């Protein structure tokens, strides 16, 4: 093995390490502060590298954010079928508690200031990794409109992660991840009905004699 080969491998290792450091810094900063407030200089300083290297390794800030979201979601542990919303909720909340922030995926979905392509990418990650497995489970259980129901439940989870991380709601912050998981799982198992209740005014079973608009039938003796 010649010196040129060794030198090339050394540069490759340095390049890979720099890219990984930038990605880790982006995941942390984007996860805490969102897309708009974090600059490439911030990411470079956190990574111990030149922020301009983002263009070399990722293309631009939006592409780096998408990579951060994808990398973060790859660490999500989804239970085998059927999807266990109880266990996953507890896992996701413990993960957010440990990092002290909702994470780049939640930030991307909720922040109106996030680049549209980043928000679309984050929504796709939610559909693929969470909504689709949950919808499959709900369909097998006979739920009405399982996809919409899964979207509602995962949206609730995303909101809980964001609000719990904010510390603005004492009860939510004090509740254990397991207790919150139990609540969402109970909602997943609750029966649904697509038939709207019939109001008395529209009740077709009301007799003609009970209707005030019908004249009384004269009695015959």
């Amino acid at each position: 093995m010649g010196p040129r080969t060794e030198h090339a491998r050394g540069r490759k290792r340095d390049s890979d390490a720099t890219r990984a450091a930038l990605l880790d810094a982006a995941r942390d900063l984007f996860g805490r502060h969102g897309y708009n407030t974090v600059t490439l200089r911030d990411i470079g300083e956190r990574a111990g590298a030149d922020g301009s290297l983002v263009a070399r390794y990722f293309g631009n800030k939006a592409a780096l954010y998408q990579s951060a979201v994808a990398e973060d979601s790859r660490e999500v542990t989804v239970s085998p079928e059927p999807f266990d919303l109880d266990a996953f909720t507890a896992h996701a909340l413990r993960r957010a508690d440990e990092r002290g922030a909702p994470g780049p995926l939640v930030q991307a979905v909720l922040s109106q200031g996030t680049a549209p392509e980043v928000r679309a990418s984050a929504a796709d990650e939610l559909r693929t990794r969470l909504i689709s497995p949950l919808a499959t489970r709900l369909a097998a259980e006979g739920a009405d409109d399982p996809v919409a129901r899964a979207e509602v439940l995962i949206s609730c989870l995303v909101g809980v992660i964001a609000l719990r991380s904010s510390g603005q709601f004492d009860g939510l912050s004090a509740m254990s991840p397991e207790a919150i998981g139990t609540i969402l799982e109970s909602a997943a198992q609750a029966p649904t009905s697509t038939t709207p209740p019939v109001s008395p005014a529209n009740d077709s079973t009301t007799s003609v004699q009970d209707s005030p608009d019908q004249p009384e039938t004269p009695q015959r003796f």
Side-chain angles (χ1 to χ4, degrees), residues 119-188:
R119 294 185 69 192
S121 177
D124 286 341
E125 291 286 344
L126 284 179
R127 290 189 191 97
T128 300
R129 298 184 181 277
L130 300 180
I131 293 173
S132 181
L134 180 56
T136 299
R137 170 201 149 178
L138 295 176
E141 294 173 354
D144 297 327
D145 202 349
V147 173
R149 191 173 175 87
E151 289 177 349
V152 169
L153 291 165
I154 297 303
S155 295
C156 290
L157 173 58
V158 168
V160 166
I161 292 173
L163 292 176
R164 181 179 168 87
S165 299
S166 74
Q168 297 298 313
F169 296 90
D170 294 339
L172 180 60
S173 298
M175 189 175 292
S176 71
E178 290 74 18
I180 297 172
T182 299
I183 292 172
L184 288 183
E185 179 59 35
S186 297

Side-chain angles (χ1 to χ4, degrees), residues 23-24 27 67-78 88 91-92 95 98-99 104-105 125 129-130:
L23 185 57
D24 287 345
R27 287 175 61 190
S67 296
V69 167
E71 184 70 18
D72 202 62
S73 66
R74 271 194 286 271
E75 293 185 0
V76 171
T77 303
V78 178
F88 178 78
H91 166 76
R95 191 161 174 255
E98 289 169 1
R99 78 193 334 166
L105 180 60
E125 291 286 344
R129 298 184 181 277
L130 300 180

Side-chain angles (χ1 to χ4, degrees), residues 144 192-198:
D144 297 327
T192 59
S193 174
T194 58
T195 303
V198 178

Side-chain angles (χ1 to χ4, degrees), residues 58-72:
F58 299 96
N60 55 38
K61 180 180 174 182
L64 174 58
Y65 200 120
Q66 287 175 296
S67 296
V69 167
E71 184 70 18
D72 202 62

